[in-house]
């Protein structure tokens, strides 16, 4: 079983969106039993809060199922639990490396790197652009599926 943890700042926009997009792509491939897919935050600001309404609205619009969940913060134990620790931007990667240094298994990676890109996925909490965030997440998750499915 491949265990994936998507990580963003608050765990209410980008990482849960990636979690549910990836779950749906894996389900459509008939491989949902081969993966554990979850998400978490680098910060404590939103702990316990559900997915942001803008992310929910975008997921509904594109037909991606999701469920109510509470944001949680990454922990040192997550390094051993997950095979892939996938961040959305440079700041996430910095905090992830701080939590899990020195990353001897090279588990920490930025989502868009799977699509051959070095740029961040913008945080829609600040941009308000859930369409662009979704497009970037879909591109990254689709490329991740090509590698692991």
């Amino acid at each position: 079983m491949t265990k994936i943890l998507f990580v963003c700042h608050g765990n209410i926009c980008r990482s849960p969106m990636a979690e549910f997009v990836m779950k749906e792509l894996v389900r459509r491939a008939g491989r949902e039993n081969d993966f554990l897919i979850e998400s978490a935050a680098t910060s404590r600001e939103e702990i316990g809060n559900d997915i942001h309404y803008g992310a929910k609205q975008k997921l509904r619009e594109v037909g991606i199922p999701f469920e109510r969940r509470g944001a949680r913060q990454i922990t040192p134990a997550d390094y051993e639990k997950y095979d892939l620790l996938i961040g959305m931007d440079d700041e996430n990667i910095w905090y992830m490396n701080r939590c899990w240094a020195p990353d001897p298994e090279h588990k920490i990676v930025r989502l868009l790197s799977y699509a051959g890109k070095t740029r961040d996925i913008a945080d829609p909490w600040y941009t308000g652009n859930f369409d662009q965030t979704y497009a970037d997440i879909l591109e990254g998750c689709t490329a991740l599926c090509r590698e692991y499915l």
Side-chain angles (χ1 to χ4, degrees), residues 58 119 121-122 127 129-137 139:
K58 186 61 191 177
R119 67 180 174 80
I121 295 176
T127 68
N129 191 343
F130 287 88
D131 294 334
Q132 183 61 54
T133 297
Y134 171 77
D136 287 345
I137 286 170
E139 181 178 7

Side-chain angles (χ1 to χ4, degrees), residues 18 68-69 113:
R68 181 166 173 69
R69 46 166 312 287
S113 69

